[in-house]
Amino acid sequence: MIEAVGLTKRYGAKTAVYNLSFQVRPGTVTGFLGPNGSGKSTTMRMILGLDEPTSGHVTVGGYPFRKLPNAPRQVGALLDAKAVHGGRSARQHLLCLAQLSGIPARRVDEVLGVVGLQSVARKRSKGFSLGMGQRLGIAAALLGDPQVLLFDEPVNGLDPEGILWVRNLMKQLASEGRTVFVSSHLMSEMALTADRLIVIGRGQLLADMSVKDFISYNSADFARVRTPDGETEQREKLTAALSEAGGQVLPEQDGALRVTGLPLPRISDLAHGADVRLWELSPHQASLEEAYMRMTQGAVDYRSTADQRAGLQEPVPGMAPQAGPYGYAPPTAGGAPAGYPPVGSMPGYTPPPAPQGQLAPGQPAPGQPAPGQPAPGQAPWQQPQQPLVGQGAPQQPAAPAQPPAAPPAPAAAPAPADMNKRDSEDAR
């Protein structure tokens, strides 16, 4: 079991992890989620003893990693699949790790077969593809047959067959009673692989619960109801009956109804009592991705902005202007992309305090305006404009005319290049 208590890690003024506490129990696959820069890799490095926490502690099986006897045979990890000497073959790399940890050489051939690299075992790893490198990293993690395994983005670069293999491997390892801790940004894979989720944002714990509870807690389940097309009267009768029973009814764009606050059997009984025929009555539950986006919307540090293309490109006739940043739906009145809650603070989230004598991230110095804000007494349109790329700096007033210079003297014959080079080297 992995247990973290009050983990905090600071790098100067930057607080990467703040007061983080959680448990990763054996027998389950625990997913580790969070936006880029949220502190996931830093947390894993502290678990493995690669980084020393500023405060707090983390143990594996009741001991700090550095105090575990023969730690490679108890803990296996994949943090960086590229941490391999490119001149070594896959078998040589694993054999070196095995000899350092007292693992029999026959185990090397076993794990090469488990990850499917036995046919390229004697090829140099520098020629491996990204997916092959991931398989080699997983083989290194499995080498000591450990009871605790940590994987950081294990399916990165794998093809669909490889992703399915990793998914089944994680479940098999957990079914054997091992502790499996997996960090990933692929929500679809986490929904199929993980049993529990630990979600962090800006270094703080946001959620620690089962996947099912996480989706239910961060999404609104509803029933989708459809009456026969063209029969407006029946649609109105059903809407009135559901509203009287305490349900909330909202129309969908395709003519269906979105009903919340009533279970499906109750909706069916009300429709039968109102003599309304139903063409559709189906439950809808948000995906893990939708629930994750709702939970972490206020903890995203790196967000795309719209490309204005000012002065670089003329608008194409008949084409609508770009409504929002690339990859996002058009923003709503709250400033967030359509379909997501307004950008703001997360429930229960408190920014970590800055070290004494230093400013918090994003806080302007005393007497200075915040980034992107005009100075006191200055209108927004009076801010200095930066020149566009390719236009150069603003033109300066022309200098007074100077008298013409005397014609240059004839150049002397150049000395041989090798002699100049030797003289300059002697001078140094």
Side-chain angles (χ1 to χ4, degrees):
M1 183 176 73
I2 303 172
E3 183 175 11
V5 179
L7 272 185
T8 298
K9 180 63 178 179
R10 290 190 176 96
Y11 298 97
K14 172 67 175 178
T15 301
V17 178
Y18 179 69
N19 196 28
L20 186 60
S21 300
F22 61 85
Q23 288 184 345
V24 183
R25 299 185 180 277
T28 60
V29 179
T30 303
F32 195 30
L33 307 181
N36 289 332
S38 61
K40 300 189 302 299
S41 296
T42 301
T43 301
M44 283 191 160
R45 289 179 61 85
M46 288 191 288
I47 293 173
L48 296 172
L50 299 175
D51 281 348
E52 190 71 23
T54 305
S55 61
H57 65 274
V58 58
T59 58
V60 180
Y63 297 92
F65 182 86
R66 296 180 181 179
K67 295 184 178 180
L68 285 173
N70 201 353
R73 303 199 67 167
Q74 300 191 44
V75 181
L78 167 62
L79 295 187
D80 184 5
K82 297 180 180 179
V84 180
H85 192 293
R88 292 177 180 170
S89 66
R91 192 177 189 281
Q92 288 173 339
H93 170 69
L94 295 177
L95 188 60
C96 178
L97 297 178
Q99 291 174 345
L100 290 173
S101 304
I103 299 172
R106 64 177 181 275
R107 178 62 180 166
V108 172
D109 297 318
E110 292 175 0
V111 294
L112 283 171
V114 169
V115 301
L117 293 181
Q118 62 270 37
S119 62
V120 294
R122 301 189 182 278
K123 291 187 177 181
R124 293 186 178 183
S125 59
K126 66 180 180 181
F128 282 7
S129 65
L130 180 59
M132 294 167 67
Q134 289 292 116
R135 289 176 179 267
L136 181 57
I138 294 174
L142 299 176
L143 190 60
D145 194 25
Q147 289 297 310
V148 178
L149 293 128
L150 291 83
F151 299 98
D152 191 2
E153 298 287 350
V155 299
N156 186 25
L158 292 178
D159 55 17
E161 188 277 334
I163 293 175
L164 177 61
W165 166 73
V166 170
R167 184 193 310 160
N168 294 331
L169 175 66
M170 301 295 168
K171 293 181 177 181
Q172 178 185 347
L173 293 171
S175 68
E176 296 171 357
R178 305 174 197 261
T179 301
V180 183
F181 196 36
V182 186
S183 171
S184 179
H185 289 292
L186 297 179
M187 297 297 108
S188 58
E189 276 308 303
M190 283 291 96
L192 296 172
T193 306
D195 303 303
R196 293 188 63 84
L197 294 176
I198 294 175
V199 185
I200 65 174
R202 292 177 180 166
Q204 297 190 49
L205 182 67
L206 300 182
D208 184 357
M209 59 186 69
S210 67
V211 175
K212 182 179 179 180
D213 291 343
F214 179 82
I215 295 175
S216 298
Y217 182 80
N218 294 286
S219 62
D221 298 341
F222 63 90
R224 181 178 166 86
V225 185
R226 180 190 293 276
T227 58
D229 295 338
E231 298 186 8
T232 308
E233 182 179 353
Q234 289 208 0
R235 189 168 181 264
E236 293 176 351
K237 285 175 59 178
L238 180 60
T239 301
L242 296 175
S243 300
E244 291 177 1
Q248 292 79 40
V249 184
L250 295 175
E252 296 278 339
Q253 293 182 354
D254 60 354
L257 298 175
R258 175 183 294 205
V259 182
T260 57
L262 294 173
L264 264 66
R266 178 61 173 159
I267 295 174
S268 177
D269 293 341
L270 291 171
H272 179 74
D275 196 21
V276 175
R277 290 184 300 136
L278 298 182
W279 277 11
E280 179 184 353
L281 177 58
S282 59
H284 177 85
Q285 188 180 48
S287 65
L288 175 60
E289 179 177 301
E290 293 171 338
Y292 170 81
M293 293 296 293
R294 181 181 293 272
M295 165 64 77
T296 62
Q297 184 66 24
V300 177
D301 291 327
Y302 308 103
R303 196 183 303 275
S304 173
T305 59
D307 186 358
Q308 303 296 338
R309 307 185 187 90
L312 301 177
Q313 194 175 38
E314 293 185 1
V316 179
M319 180 177 294
Q322 181 183 337
Y326 286 126
Y328 293 100
T332 61
Y340 297 108
V343 178
S345 299
M346 297 168 291
Y349 174 78
T350 304
Q356 294 184 359
Q358 297 181 353
L359 297 175
Q363 178 182 354
Q368 297 292 332
Q373 300 294 329
Q378 183 183 42
W381 58 83
Q382 294 176 338
Q383 299 182 64
Q385 299 294 327
Q386 298 295 332
L388 295 174
V389 178
Q391 291 185 353
Q395 296 183 358
Q396 302 292 335
Q402 299 292 335
D418 56 342
M419 293 179 63
N420 288 342
K421 181 177 180 181
R422 187 179 302 110
D423 292 341
S424 62
E425 291 176 351
D426 293 340
R428 288 197 295 268

